[in-house]
Amino acid sequence: MSPTITRRQLLAGIAGTVGLAGTAGAAAWAGGAFDPSLVAPNGDLVARTEAARRRAGAATVTASLNPRPITLDLGGPTVRTWGYADSAPGPLIRAKAGDLLRVDVENSLPATTSVHWHGIALRNDMDGVPGLTQQPIPVGGRYRYEFTAPDPGTYFYHPHSGVQLDRALYGVLVVDDPEEAGAYDAEWIVVLDDWVDGSGRTPEDVLASLQSMGGHGDMTGTDHGDMGGMSGMPMQDMEMMTSPLIGGAGDVDYPHYLVNGRIPASPVTLSGKPGQRVRIRIVNAASDTAFRLALGGHRLTVTHSDGFPVAPTPTDALLLGMGERVDVSVDLTDGVFPLVAAAEGKPGQGLALVRTAAGEPPAATVRPTELDRQVLITTTLRAAESVALASRRPERVHRLVLGGTMMPYQWTINGATFDQAEPLLVERGERVRLTFENSTAMFHPMHVHGHTFAVTGGGARKDTVIVAPKQIVAVDLNADNPGQWMTHCHNIYHAETGMMVNLAYQA
Ligand code: C2O
Ligand code: CU
């Protein structure tokens, strides 16, 4: 444990935020002015689109965030890191659909930052992408985010600056549906994370080690852990670190996996009563880890994916990629039960306790049998009828071939890293199809800003979708939110080293 941030780590942190901010600016904000052939984030069209979203009598929900260096107790190990509060996750922000959110950010980090509202179809200039939709918030600077949140659901917020997400800089944003009956007795929020900061390496150190050493260079699909974490591990164990369900296992071997900020040795307790029906909002805020989640002794019914309702689907366990959210409904029985989030394809797990009665808690290493029974993958979910995207032939089709190499450590879309990528052009009013073709041996949770697409063929409405190795996943969206929208892998190390492109509305 390193209780203090060394000067070297501090400098790495500052340097680590420059790449993403600088390169995006080069493309769209060329010569200090926005490319006139594209819709400007701060232009009239974006303002008019927002005005059309505003509802008479909508409430204004205010919040403030102060990203800063903190000391965080993970439930035993105490780490120095960066957070939005003295806890992970950061403050819960809660609004009703149609409300105006006003969030004041004061940057007390030793690095520039930004706040992105993951999954929200908001006004483009509030999307929080430095160099594309705003200037980075300088050290000591302030920024006010103000936007209408149009759609109910489970969302989260995090920086869009370097690999800052891999610290404690994340929080949940719940947008309630004033129309919804709420067929449950209680609600829990469960946030999953992979943790490295303060254990001797910062996320910027991890990125630097990936970039300087690479993995093994053949992209065979077996795990290519970063050398810091993998050193001393025999090759056969490395080969075993893959997920047969989604392929690969991330690039980083984390010392800890957290549920609501806690390691399994001192888990949080979620309390209820036997017979109650609970809605659990689950967010995967990890940077490099998909989780397989199950609740011992219970079945889960998935009701929402990435905020939007799905045809209710029962399962024993489910897989959640980075950036994905699900809401599940559970009928509680009598006892103490492990809610386990196993790091998919990696050793280790996160744990929370579900308690409806007195009794001994299970061991930190407990592995409920449900984890290895029926495992739901969110691409198989069906959209609820109320949110199904009307079928329509796409006027615009973009093919996105996902590629990468471990030496050098670099991830691409259509062969280009972000700084070299041509924007993917769309026009307002079009039905757009994005076809993700994964040519690598790793899974990639692909995320589109500002829109909720539909997985083609009646699949769920989502904003983040896992594309397994050699798999093709097509998604359709209505181009109804003009602006410049990042489209990227939500593995933060893949995004930061190039797997990102701008979905650009033409003026
Ligand atoms: Cu949650 Cu561009 O990301
Ligand atoms: Cu990726």
Side-chain angles (χ1 to χ4, degrees):
M1 239 38 60
S2 104
T4 54
I5 298 177
T6 66
R7 179 176 158 74
R8 195 181 74 79
Q9 286 167 326
L10 204 56
L11 290 171
I14 293 163
T17 63
V18 170
L20 201 147
T23 49
W29 293 96
F34 203 83
D35 180 341
S37 72
L38 303 178
V39 168
N42 57 357
D44 278 359
L45 185 56
V46 169
R48 287 206 305 276
T49 307
E50 171 70 1
R53 263 183 210 121
R54 296 266 167 117
R55 289 184 202 163
T60 300
V61 172
T62 59
S64 45
L65 295 175
N66 177 213
R68 60 185 185 267
I70 59 167
T71 300
L72 185 62
D73 179 3
L74 303 176
T78 294
V79 291
R80 283 293 291 170
T81 187
W82 299 351
Y84 286 123
D86 290 323
S87 62
L92 171 66
I93 301 179
R94 189 148 206 160
K96 288 191 306 300
D99 284 354
L100 185 72
L101 268 95
R102 179 181 297 150
V103 184
D104 285 306
V105 179
E106 184 185 347
N107 181 14
S108 303
L109 299 173
T112 66
T113 193
S114 54
V115 183
H116 168 60
W117 310 92
H118 180 116
I120 302 281
L122 46 42
R123 55 182 301 161
N124 188 227
D125 54 344
M126 293 294 144
D127 195 42
V129 180
L132 186 65
T133 66
Q134 68 170 91
Q135 295 305 315
I137 309 173
V139 175
R142 292 166 186 272
Y143 198 88
R144 172 171 286 184
Y145 290 93
E146 192 169 278
F147 57 90
T148 300
D151 304 305
T154 304
Y155 303 94
F156 76 125
Y157 58 90
H158 62 77
H160 224 279
S161 300
V163 291
Q164 289 179 12
L165 167 62
D166 209 2
R167 300 184 184 236
L169 293 166
Y170 57 81
V172 177
L173 168 57
V174 172
V175 181
D176 287 302
D177 185 351
E179 315 283 274
E180 195 199 67
Y184 47 90
D185 305 308
E187 184 205 72
W188 299 334
I189 295 175
V190 165
V191 186
L192 314 176
D193 191 17
D194 47 14
W195 191 269
V196 63
D197 196 33
S199 68
R201 290 185 299 160
T202 65
E204 291 78 18
D205 294 336
V206 170
L207 177 63
S209 93
L210 287 169
Q211 288 179 310
S212 66
M213 321 213 33
H216 48 90
D218 59 6
M219 303 294 291
T220 53
T222 51
D223 179 72
H224 27 256
D226 89 272
M227 292 321 206
M230 299 303 292
S231 57
M233 183 170 283
M235 184 58 84
Q236 56 270 36
D237 289 350
M238 290 177 64
E239 300 296 332
M240 280 166 61
M241 282 175 58
T242 66
S243 162
L245 284 171
I246 50 172
D251 298 339
V252 185
D253 185 23
Y254 285 83
H256 302 297
Y257 297 97
L258 311 180
V259 178
N260 292 358
R262 291 265 153 169
I263 61 168
S266 61
V268 295
T269 299
L270 306 164
S271 300
K273 296 193 181 71
Q276 276 187 329
R277 174 164 292 181
V278 180
R279 178 185 193 160
I280 315 180
R281 299 177 184 266
I282 306 162
V283 177
N284 184 351
S287 289
D288 181 71
T289 306
F291 286 101
R292 188 190 296 206
L293 183 129
L295 173 58
H298 292 78
R299 299 258 294 166
L300 312 170
T301 299
V302 180
T303 61
H304 297 72
S305 169
D306 295 354
F308 279 54
V310 296
T313 308
T315 187
D316 290 313
L318 59 90
L319 252 173
L320 214 54
M322 300 81 86
E324 283 192 286
R325 294 88 63 211
V326 287
D327 296 14
V328 302
S329 168
V330 183
D331 294 326
L332 296 177
T333 60
D334 203 342
V336 188
F337 307 95
L339 178 68
V340 171
E344 183 68 11
K346 303 179 184 184
Q349 63 182 28
L351 175 72
L353 297 182
V354 168
R355 181 181 285 283
T356 64
E360 278 298 297
T365 52
V366 61
R367 188 173 171 97
T369 55
E370 283 82 1
L371 279 175
D372 299 301
R373 283 190 204 147
Q374 177 195 4
V375 184
L376 179 141
I377 297 175
T378 57
T379 41
T380 62
L381 291 166
R382 318 295 297 172
E385 237 167 82
S386 57
V387 298
L389 196 64
S391 91
R392 174 175 157 192
R393 195 135 122 260
E395 283 92 23
R396 181 87 65 165
V397 179
H398 283 296
R399 184 172 172 238
L400 291 83
V401 178
L402 313 177
T405 55
M406 296 305 287
M407 301 244 230
Y409 186 83
Q410 181 169 282
W411 298 91
T412 56
I413 295 174
N414 295 334
T417 52
F418 178 61
D419 52 326
Q420 278 149 7
E422 288 297 323
L424 302 174
L425 299 176
V426 299
E427 266 179 58
R428 191 157 68 112
E430 287 178 335
R431 170 62 63 86
V432 176
R433 174 164 299 173
L434 305 177
T435 304
F436 300 110
E437 293 185 30
N438 187 354
S439 75
T440 76
M442 273 288 300
F443 74 94
H444 303 285
M446 297 303 297
H447 173 52
V448 180
H449 285 204
H451 300 77
T452 296
F453 51 68
V455 176
T456 55
R461 299 294 301 274
K462 293 183 67 53
D463 51 65
T464 309
V465 67
I466 289 182
V467 188
K470 310 303 169 194
Q471 193 191 19
I472 298 176
V473 174
V475 303
D476 285 355
L477 61 85
N478 287 333
D480 57 5
N481 194 13
Q484 309 301 314
W485 302 104
M486 285 297 196
T487 297
H488 63 91
C489 179
H490 222 276
N491 181 311
I492 201 70
Y493 296 94
H494 295 187
E496 185 61 12
T497 58
M499 193 172 257
M500 195 156 57
V501 68
N502 176 14
L503 185 72
Y505 281 64
Q506 290 176 281

